[in-house]
Amino acid sequence: MGEKLCKDKEKTRILEKIKQEDEHLKKILRIQTVTDFNRFNQSGFIADLINACEALQEKAIFSIADDIACRKSKDNRLKVVLIAGPSSSGKTTFCKRLRIALMTDEIWPMSLSLDDYFVDREKTPLDEYGNYDFETIEALDLPFLNEQLSNLLAGKEIDVPRFNFKTGHREFTGGKLQLPDNAILIMEGIHALNPLLTAQIPDDCKFHVYVAPLTGICLDETTSIPTADNRLLRRILRDYQFRGYSAQQTISQWASVQKGERRWITPFIDKADAMFNSSQIFELAVIRNFVLPILQQVPTDALEYVDARRLIGFISQIDAVCDKDLPSNSLLREFIGGSNFHY
C-alpha cells in the first residue's frame, strides 16, 4: 500500500511539473484560450511561437536522455528503454528524437519492434465478438520476447524476428542484434509500461517513459479541449494520409481504441520513470486546414456524423497556421507529413 502511494505521488508530481512548464510558456506569451491564440497569430509572431514550443520539447527530450545516461553511468545494468502512450500520442517520433539525444550522451541506441513479437495469427486471442484481439497483451509472445531480451542483456547475439502481417507468421530473415556495452535498446508500444511484458527482466535494467499530449489551450475561460479529441484529430489525419482510412472509419473505431487504452495503458502510468508532453499550443491551428476537408467527407446519415460535426465546430474557431515554419523533425510531422524521419 505504501509503495503504491509513493508511486501515485510521483506520478502526480511529474504530471504537475509538465503542466507547470506548459502553463509557464502560455503565461509568458499570454496565451490561455483560442481567442488569445488567434490574437497572437494575427500579430505576425507565430514563427517565434513555433520555435519556442519546439525548443521546449527538444529540451524535454534531452532532459529524459540525460536522466537515462545518468542512471546508466551509475549502474551499467540499465539496457532497455520502454516507451508507451495512447494512440496518436507521437511515440514513434519521440523514439526517433530520443535516439538522437542519447547519441549526444555517447550512448548507442538500438531498436526492436514489439510488433515483431506477435503470436502466430491462429493463436491470437479473440474478443467478445469473435474477432482477433490484437490489443490484448496475450497477442504477444511474451516467453519468446523475454528469452530474447535476457539473451541480449547477457551479451549474446539474437536472431531478430520479423512478423509477416500478410501471412500472420513470424519470420527470420537473417537480421542479428547484439548490445555493446555503451548501447541502449529502445522498444515502444501500448504495453511497454505493463510489468507482464518484461516480467523476466530485472527492474534495474529498465527505464519506462510515458508519452501523451497532456495539456493544451482552452476554447474559452471555462471550456477545455479534451486531449482525447486532440489525439483523435491526429489519428484521423494520419489514417487518411498514410493508411487509406476515411474519417468515418477512424471515428467508428475510436471507442474501441479508447477501451483498449483504459485496459492496457492507463493502469500502468505510475510505472513511468519519465513522462513527455507531446502537445503543442499551435498544433490544432496547423492541423486545421489538413483535417477539415477530411471531416467534411463524413456522410450526414452516418452514425459518425455527430462526432465529425463536433470536431469541425471547435477546430473551425482556431485560425489556421501554415506548416512552412514547422521544422522537419517536429513531432507534428508524423501526422501531417514532411518529416525527415522514415516511418
Side-chain angles (χ1 to χ4, degrees):
M1 180 62 117
E3 183 180 351
K4 183 182 185 303
L5 184 60
C6 289
K7 276 286 190 179
D8 288 344
K9 286 183 177 179
E10 178 64 11
K11 178 176 70 174
T12 301
R13 185 190 68 79
I14 296 173
L15 285 169
E16 284 304 315
K17 182 175 182 291
I18 289 173
K19 290 179 181 178
Q20 287 171 8
E21 290 173 348
D22 183 74
E23 288 300 322
H24 180 65
L25 180 62
K26 289 192 290 187
K27 188 175 181 180
I28 291 173
L29 298 170
R30 298 181 181 178
I31 298 175
Q32 298 290 335
T33 67
V34 167
T35 300
D36 296 334
F37 176 83
N38 289 343
R39 188 181 300 117
F40 189 95
N41 193 5
Q42 293 162 12
S43 72
F45 292 98
I46 196 65
D48 291 339
L49 173 65
I50 291 174
N51 289 332
C53 291
E54 292 288 346
L56 186 62
Q57 279 201 342
E58 188 81 346
K59 181 180 178 181
I61 292 170
F62 273 82
S63 177
I64 293 173
D66 289 345
D67 287 346
I68 293 170
C70 180
R71 194 173 129 188
K72 185 171 174 59
S73 68
K74 292 177 180 178
D75 183 359
N76 199 39
R77 286 172 58 81
L78 177 60
K79 287 288 185 179
V80 184
V81 175
L82 296 152
I83 300 167
S87 173
S88 301
S89 58
K91 297 186 297 296
T92 303
T93 302
F94 171 80
C95 287
K96 293 179 181 298
R97 290 176 65 173
L98 181 65
R99 292 183 74 254
I100 294 170
L102 286 170
M103 291 170 69
T104 68
D105 283 317
E106 300 181 11
I107 293 176
W108 186 248
M110 310 180 84
S111 301
L112 278 179
S113 173
L114 286 175
D115 285 351
D116 289 321
Y117 289 88
F118 278 115
V119 297
D120 288 341
R121 186 70 44 80
E122 62 271 16
K123 297 178 182 178
T124 304
L126 304 179
D127 63 17
E128 63 267 35
Y129 305 108
N131 300 316
Y132 289 126
D133 186 357
F134 298 110
E135 304 297 316
T136 176
I137 196 168
E138 295 170 354
L140 296 172
D141 190 342
L142 299 184
F144 177 60
L145 171 63
N146 278 269
E147 177 189 351
Q148 289 222 308
L149 290 179
S150 295
N151 285 335
L152 282 172
L153 297 183
K156 299 178 182 178
E157 184 180 72
I158 66 166
D159 294 315
V160 178
R162 288 289 179 265
F163 192 84
N164 187 325
F165 285 90
K166 290 184 178 180
T167 65
H169 291 86
R170 180 187 305 142
E171 299 174 348
F172 294 92
T173 57
K176 305 284 185 180
L177 183 64
Q178 188 172 20
L179 293 182
D181 214 34
N182 68 331
I184 282 280
L185 181 68
I186 300 178
M187 302 184 74
E188 62 102 345
I190 65 171
H191 300 292
L193 298 183
N194 191 331
L196 291 176
L197 183 76
T198 53
Q200 298 174 34
I201 308 304
D203 287 342
D204 58 0
C205 295
K206 299 178 287 190
F207 189 98
H208 298 88
V209 184
Y210 177 70
V211 177
L214 301 176
T215 55
I217 60 173
C218 299
L219 281 176
D220 52 46
E221 286 77 4
T222 60
T223 310
S224 62
I225 298 173
T227 57
D229 281 347
N230 197 148
R231 292 191 295 110
L232 176 55
L233 287 167
R234 286 179 175 185
R235 181 169 172 132
I236 287 170
L237 186 53
R238 182 199 64 193
D239 285 358
Y240 183 85
Q241 294 202 121
F242 306 116
R243 301 184 180 182
Y245 294 138
S246 67
Q248 181 181 353
Q249 288 173 306
T250 300
I251 293 171
S252 71
Q253 297 168 357
W254 190 239
S256 176
V257 169
Q258 289 189 293
K259 179 181 176 182
E261 292 168 358
R262 288 191 294 270
R263 183 178 180 188
W264 296 115
I265 301 177
T266 305
F268 306 107
I269 293 177
D270 62 355
K271 305 296 182 185
D273 297 293
M275 294 189 182
F276 174 73
N277 180 10
S278 67
S279 72
Q280 297 278 30
I281 296 174
F282 61 82
E283 75 169 89
L284 292 178
V286 173
I287 286 175
R288 180 189 190 277
N289 283 355
F290 286 92
V291 80
L292 274 177
I294 303 171
L295 288 167
Q296 289 163 349
Q297 294 175 22
V298 177
T300 57
D301 59 348
L303 293 174
E304 296 76 19
Y305 181 74
V306 173
D307 277 326
R309 290 308 307 175
R310 178 178 59 80
L311 294 171
I312 290 171
F314 82 74
I315 202 170
S316 296
Q317 298 179 45
I318 306 171
D319 290 349
V321 168
C322 180
D323 68 309
K324 66 179 178 64
D325 292 316
L326 204 63
S328 58
N329 71 338
S330 173
L331 188 143
L332 203 53
R333 292 284 181 194
E334 181 176 333
F335 306 97
I336 68 171
S339 177
N340 60 2
F341 294 122
H342 296 288
Y343 296 97

